[in-house]
Amino acid sequence: INAETLKDMPVGQISQKLQGKIAGVQFNQITGSPGNELAIRIRSAVSINAGNNPLYVVDGFPLVGGLSGINPDEIENISVLKGASATSLYGSRAANGVVLITTKKAKEGVSEIQFRASYGISNVPQRGRPQMMNAREFLEDRKALYEDKIRYQGYTGGIPEIYQNPEAWTGPDTDWYDVLLQTGRQSNYNLSLSSSKGKFSSATVIGYYDEKGVMINSGYKRFSLRSNNDYEITNFIKVGFNIAPAYTKSNNVSTDGFYNTLESAIMTPP
C-alpha cells in the first residue's frame, strides 16, 4: 500500500488508515481510549500465552512495541508478509506475520514543502446511552425497595430518613453520564520538508497530534520528528543518518472491562 492513497484520512494512527485496505489482515478496536492503536492480526490468534502481534519493521529495523508512536505522515509505503516469506527473513519472530514500513525519502531533483492540517470533533450520541433516573425517581425507587423488604422479608430497620419523603427532595439532581462525557476533538498538524540536490538528499517530517477524549480527563498527545538524510560519497558508497524521536503523553481513565468509570456512573446515586 502506498501511503499517498491514505493521506486524506484524518486519523491519528496508521492502523486506523489501514483498516479494510489489506486482504486477509484483521484490524480490531479493542479499546476506545484516545491514542490507542487497533490490534492487527495477520494470521489470526495463534497463541494463548504468547503475543499475537506481528513483527513491525521500520526501514529495516525491528520495532519494539506498537505503531502508536509513529506519525502516519512519515510513512511512504507499507507491505505485509505472512507465511514462509516472513519466516525465511525474520525467523521465529515472524510467526505472527511481518509489517514492513518504509518512511519518506527525498525524491531526486525535487525540493518541496508541505503542510497538512486536520481538525475533527466526536461525541457519544444520546441513542444507546442508558436512561438514568433523576433524583426524585431514585428516591421513590429506594423507598419502594425498603417497603417491599418490610412487607415481604420481615425487615425491621425501617426506611432511612433520606428516602421517606421523595417529593420534598430539594438537593442536587445529577446525570453522571452528562458529567463524565464531553465533546471530544482531534487536531493533527504536519510539516514536511524534502530536498535532493546533487549527492545529498534530506526528508524531514515534524508532526503534532492532539486528541481530547469524549470522557473528561482523557486524552493523548504526540510530538514527532523524523529526518532521513543520505549522502552519496561515491557511486559505490552512500552514508545515511536517520533520526526519529517521538514524545507521547497519554491520560486515560479506566473505560474498558468491568468496574470501569462509566459502570460506576450507573451505580452512583443522582
Side-chain angles (χ1 to χ4, degrees):
I1 290 184
N2 190 318
E4 190 70 15
T5 62
L6 310 173
K7 67 179 182 180
D8 292 328
M9 298 179 66
V11 293
Q13 302 294 335
I14 188 61
S15 56
Q16 294 173 308
K17 291 193 174 191
L18 293 175
Q19 190 172 24
K21 304 295 184 183
I22 306 175
V25 180
Q26 300 173 351
F27 295 85
N28 302 313
Q29 183 166 351
I30 58 177
T31 176
S33 299
N36 285 2
E37 60 185 304
L38 305 183
I40 301 176
R41 298 291 180 263
I42 295 176
R43 303 180 68 184
S44 299
V46 297
S47 174
I48 296 176
N49 296 322
N52 290 296
N53 292 326
L55 173 66
Y56 301 109
V57 179
V58 180
D59 292 336
F61 294 94
L63 179 69
V64 177
L67 299 175
S68 60
I70 296 181
N71 180 1
D73 266 53
E74 299 172 356
I75 297 175
E76 184 73 34
N77 59 66
I78 300 169
S79 301
V80 175
L81 304 178
K82 58 181 179 179
S85 60
T87 54
S88 63
L89 292 172
Y90 299 99
S92 60
R93 292 183 298 174
N96 298 321
V98 181
V99 177
L100 297 176
I101 296 175
T102 302
T103 59
K104 291 181 178 179
K105 299 287 183 68
K107 299 178 177 63
E108 187 174 356
V110 177
S111 297
E112 60 182 6
I113 300 175
Q114 292 185 352
F115 179 74
R116 196 189 314 275
S118 65
Y119 183 86
I121 60 174
S122 56
N123 57 44
V124 179
Q126 290 293 334
R127 182 179 180 181
R129 293 194 200 182
Q131 185 175 353
M132 309 293 286
M133 292 181 182
N134 59 33
R136 179 170 174 175
E137 291 170 339
F138 178 80
L139 293 172
E140 291 173 347
D141 176 76
R142 297 293 94 183
K143 180 182 178 182
L145 173 67
Y146 279 98
E147 288 175 343
D148 285 348
K149 290 174 68 174
I150 294 171
R151 184 177 297 115
Y152 301 113
Q153 299 179 16
Y155 178 71
T156 58
I159 301 175
E161 183 179 355
I162 192 173
Y163 303 139
Q164 290 178 5
N165 191 7
E167 297 79 8
W169 177 256
T170 58
D173 184 1
T174 307
D175 185 329
W176 290 108
Y177 264 76
D178 288 341
V179 172
L180 288 174
L181 300 179
Q182 63 186 358
T183 299
R185 58 168 173 75
Q186 305 87 35
S187 52
N188 194 11
Y189 306 98
N190 290 281
L191 176 64
S192 301
L193 311 169
S194 65
S195 177
S196 179
K197 294 182 180 180
K199 297 182 177 182
F200 179 76
S201 65
S202 175
T204 301
V205 180
I206 304 170
Y208 171 69
Y209 177 75
D210 183 11
E211 181 176 356
K212 175 184 175 183
V214 293
M215 182 177 291
I216 60 173
N217 296 329
S218 67
Y220 175 84
K221 292 182 180 181
R222 180 183 63 223
F223 304 87
S224 61
L225 167 69
R226 183 175 295 272
S227 182
N228 295 335
N229 306 277
D230 291 314
Y231 182 74
E232 187 176 344
I233 299 176
T234 68
N235 292 335
F236 305 100
I237 301 175
K238 179 184 289 187
V239 177
F241 175 73
N242 302 335
I243 184 172
Y247 172 77
T248 62
K249 181 180 180 181
S250 179
N251 182 34
N252 288 324
V253 294
S254 175
T255 57
D256 304 313
F258 295 103
Y259 306 113
N260 60 60
T261 306
L262 288 176
E263 186 176 1
S264 298
I266 296 177
M267 298 185 292
T268 304

